[in-house]
């Protein structure tokens, strides 16, 4: 019986947090600051950061709700990784946000709308997913390598650095 009570309490808390992310997405639309996306980050059952899409209001194509929330959580916790944290987002993360989520080392992601739902209202990232699977030479965006020997010096310096902060 205790496990059922725990599951019910967890489910109610999850729903509460998702509702918060959804409200942020609705506020984003009403404010005109960006697209219909909201996200919150939770640690130990408490909201530590939130984000709304701010792409158009900040002229920043990376200002997606998840990225804004990750940046704020890292500032609040004074760290560049977020283990022990969970993300609640109003929509399945795009490829950029998903990359940031992995880099931030979040424990779990909860989402409401899907990438298919987003595509149906004009936020279609399918071409990015398809491009990532192509060899560099076949992508629409030309990728041209230059000066690898010169650039390798910084990599070697990193390998030899004894006081680096690993991540």
């Amino acid at each position: 019986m205790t496990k059922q009570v725990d599951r019910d309490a967890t489910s109610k808390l999850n729903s509460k947090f998702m509702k918060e992310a959804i409200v942020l997405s609705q506020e984003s639309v009403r404010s005109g600051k960006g697209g219909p996306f909201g996200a919150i980050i939770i640690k130990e059952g408490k909201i530590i950061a939130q984000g709304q899409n701010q792409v158009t209001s900040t002229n920043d194509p990376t200002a997606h709700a998840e990225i804004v929330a990750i940046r704020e959580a890292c500032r609040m916790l004074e760290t560049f990784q977020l283990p022990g944290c969970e993300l609640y987002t109003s929509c399945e993360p795009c490829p950029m946000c998903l990359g940031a989520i992995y880099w931030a080392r979040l424990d779990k992601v909860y989402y409401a709308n899907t990438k298919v739902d987003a595509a149906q209202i004009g936020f279609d990232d399918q071409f990015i997913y398809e491009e990532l699977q192509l060899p560099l030479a076949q992508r629409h965006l030309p990728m041209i390598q230059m000066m690898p020997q010169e650039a390798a010096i910084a990599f070697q310096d990193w390998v030899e650095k004894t006081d680096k902060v690993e991540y």
Side-chain angles (χ1 to χ4, degrees), residues 26-116:
Q26 294 166 341
E27 288 174 359
S28 183
V29 172
R30 288 187 204 110
S31 73
K33 292 182 179 179
F37 305 100
I40 62 170
I41 295 181
I42 306 304
K43 183 166 186 159
E44 296 171 356
K46 295 186 175 122
I47 298 173
I48 60 164
Q50 64 182 30
Q52 293 173 296
N53 183 285
Q54 300 173 9
V55 170
T56 57
S57 62
T58 61
N59 295 318
D60 179 354
T62 69
H64 290 197
E66 296 90 341
I67 301 291
V68 172
I70 288 169
R71 289 174 181 161
E72 180 62 21
C74 288
R75 271 193 296 275
M76 293 295 294
L77 298 176
E78 298 181 337
T79 183
F80 54 86
Q81 293 181 343
L82 300 170
C85 295
E86 297 177 343
L87 174 77
Y88 289 77
T89 180
S90 63
C91 189
E92 184 177 356
C94 74
M96 176 187 67
C97 292
L98 190 57
I101 289 163
Y102 276 105
W103 280 116
R105 312 283 198 282
L106 288 153
D107 288 358
K108 195 177 289 186
V109 175
Y110 297 90
Y111 66 93
N113 294 312
T114 68
K115 63 184 179 181
V116 173

Side-chain angles (χ1 to χ4, degrees), residues 1-15 88 110:
M1 188 66 176
T2 303
K3 286 184 181 183
Q4 182 61 38
V5 170
D6 289 345
R7 268 189 246 129
D8 289 347
T10 299
S11 179
K12 284 181 183 176
L13 199 55
N14 288 347
S15 293
Y88 289 77
Y110 297 90

Side-chain angles (χ1 to χ4, degrees), residues 114-157:
T114 68
K115 63 184 179 181
V116 173
D117 298 329
Q120 290 174 346
I121 64 163
F123 295 93
D124 191 355
D125 299 320
Q126 188 58 37
F127 75 96
I128 297 173
Y129 290 107
E130 292 169 3
E131 284 279 304
L132 290 173
Q133 295 181 29
L134 295 174
L136 292 177
Q138 293 179 13
R139 293 185 185 173
H140 288 89
L141 179 65
M143 301 283 289
I144 303 153
Q145 185 178 23
M146 292 178 60
M147 302 176 70
Q149 291 82 13
E150 293 84 347
I153 295 168
F155 278 20
Q156 187 58 40
D157 290 347

